Amino acid sequence: MLNCPDCYSKKLVKNGFNALEKQMYRCKECGRQFVLNPAKVRISEDQKSLIDRLLLERIALAGIARVVGVPESWLQTYVNQKYTQTPHELKVKKIGWTAHDRVR
């Protein structure tokens, strides 16, 4: 018997076919649409967390994609999204003294 991948409900209905002519299903409980054995697999939050840590280590995207097991095209889109969400203006607070503060 089929289960919804999100809420694991068994209340499913057939919902047409996708562009690859695979049968689509819709969950009556949560409304999620899905196909069995999808060509694209969801990237888990654990994988995204690992990717974030590897990006901080400045590892090449091709290497990260191989290690985590995600497509390079998806990884590039993910990195671009992260970049647009990152503030590009630094707010630095002055700490300590400078050469102008020194008294002779």
Side-chain angles (χ1 to χ4, degrees), residues 47 50-51 54 59-70 72 75:
Q47 286 176 303
L50 176 59
I51 289 168
L54 293 173
I59 297 173
L61 293 183
I64 294 173
R66 276 192 309 272
V67 169
V68 180
V70 297
E72 284 186 56
L75 183 58

Side-chain angles (χ1 to χ4, degrees), residues 13-49:
V13 292
K14 290 183 177 181
N15 194 29
F17 293 87
N18 68 6
L20 301 174
E21 298 182 7
K22 290 184 99 177
Q23 177 69 60
M24 294 186 66
Y25 297 91
R26 184 176 54 83
C27 175
K28 286 185 171 183
E29 295 286 325
C30 69
R32 164 85 191 271
Q33 291 190 98
F34 64 95
V35 296
L36 296 179
N37 305 317
K40 293 183 180 180
V41 179
R42 280 188 166 186
I43 311 300
S44 71
E45 291 304 316
D46 288 340
Q47 286 176 303
K48 289 179 183 179
S49 176

